[in-house]
């Protein structure tokens, strides 16, 4: 699944880059035409980028303490416009990532709330079932136990057999008194 997601992310990034390219090109053109934009927006980052890049290259090659000449105004304006265009593309892509992250977090929160609600509903249902079980157990305990019922039936049988055993002599007495 991850392998399938990577090309999709790359394709999405490419799509965002292609969509933001016209915007970056418009900004570059505005930077080339406007003197204010060129002087205050494009030139300072371009000169800083050039200085850092050249200083790094000189240190890698072993030249320390060499003076780095600033770019001419035309080259700095072009480099600044390019940097601004790339920054625009980066900001658009980063904004897409942030928005996707927020959407994912909101979806995750909603899922957790649904799970919590389902969990609470199950807990309430278990509570109701526990109360119903207690009521049924009380009813069962209030009824005479099965063994007591059988014991009562056995005692009733004994009493009946005793009554029958006593009854035949009394019936013979009754028969003799009626003959007299």
């Amino acid at each position: 699944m991850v392998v399938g997601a990577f090309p999709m992310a790359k394709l999405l990034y490419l799509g965002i880059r292609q969509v933001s390219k016209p915007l970056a090109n418009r900004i570059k053109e505005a930077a080339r035409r406007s003197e204010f934009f060129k002087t205050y927006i494009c030139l300072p980052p371009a000169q800083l980028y050039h200085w850092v890049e050249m200083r790094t290259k000189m240190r890698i090659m072993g030249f320390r303490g060499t003076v780095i000449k600033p770019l001419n105004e035309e080259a700095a304006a072009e480099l600044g416009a390019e940097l601004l265009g790339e920054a625009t593309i980066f900001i658009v892509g980063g904004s897409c990532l942030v928005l996707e992250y927020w959407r994912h977090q909101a979806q995750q929160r909603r899922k957790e709330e649904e799970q919590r609600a389902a969990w609470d509903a199950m807990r309430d249902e278990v509570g109701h079932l526990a109360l119903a079980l207690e009521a049924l157990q009380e009813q069962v305990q209030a009824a005479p136990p099965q063994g007591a019922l059988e014991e009562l039936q056995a005692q009733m049988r004994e009493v009946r057999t005793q009554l029958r055993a006593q009854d035949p002599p009394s019936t013979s007495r009754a028969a003799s008194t009626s003959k007299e």
Side-chain angles (χ1 to χ4, degrees):
M1 194 99 186
V2 173
V3 174
F6 178 72
M8 290 301 292
K10 194 171 183 180
L11 185 65
L12 180 67
Y13 173 72
L14 227 89
I16 290 170
R17 188 173 170 102
Q18 290 301 324
V19 167
S20 61
K21 275 278 191 188
L23 177 66
N25 288 335
R26 282 189 181 176
I27 290 173
K28 285 182 204 177
E29 286 302 316
R32 288 184 186 110
R33 280 183 272 134
S34 169
E35 193 62 38
F36 173 81
F37 209 68
K38 185 188 300 182
T39 305
Y40 296 106
I41 306 292
C42 291
L43 290 181
Q47 293 293 356
L48 178 67
Y49 178 79
H50 173 70
W51 183 79
V52 169
E53 180 186 31
M54 292 308 292
R55 188 158 179 101
T56 305
K57 284 180 180 179
M58 292 297 194
R59 283 193 175 190
I60 288 173
M61 292 189 307
F63 299 114
R64 295 191 187 270
T66 57
V67 178
I68 298 169
K69 294 180 183 177
L71 287 173
N72 63 18
E73 192 173 311
E74 186 62 34
E78 188 66 32
L79 180 61
E82 286 295 321
L83 287 173
L84 190 59
E86 290 300 317
T88 303
I89 292 170
F90 180 75
I91 288 170
V92 168
S95 299
C96 288
L97 287 175
V98 168
L99 290 174
E100 180 63 25
Y101 176 76
W102 283 346
R103 187 188 68 79
H104 179 70
Q105 288 297 321
Q107 185 180 12
Q108 192 71 17
R109 250 184 267 114
R110 187 172 19 92
K111 231 184 241 186
E112 287 173 2
E113 287 172 2
E114 288 174 359
Q115 286 176 344
R116 194 175 307 122
W119 182 259
D120 291 342
M122 282 184 191
R123 194 176 327 150
D124 290 343
E125 183 69 24
V126 166
H128 291 302
L129 289 173
L131 291 175
L133 179 64
E134 285 179 21
L136 287 173
Q137 283 178 339
E138 288 175 6
Q139 287 177 358
V140 166
Q141 288 177 355
Q146 186 70 18
L149 185 62
E150 290 174 358
E151 191 176 314
L152 282 174
Q153 286 175 347
Q155 287 177 358
M156 289 285 291
R157 279 189 226 117
E158 286 178 25
V159 169
R160 282 186 190 149
T161 54
Q162 287 176 0
L163 285 175
R164 285 184 192 149
Q166 290 176 1
D167 197 26
S170 62
T171 54
S172 60
R173 267 194 221 157
S176 61
T177 52
S178 61
K179 286 185 187 179
E180 294 179 4

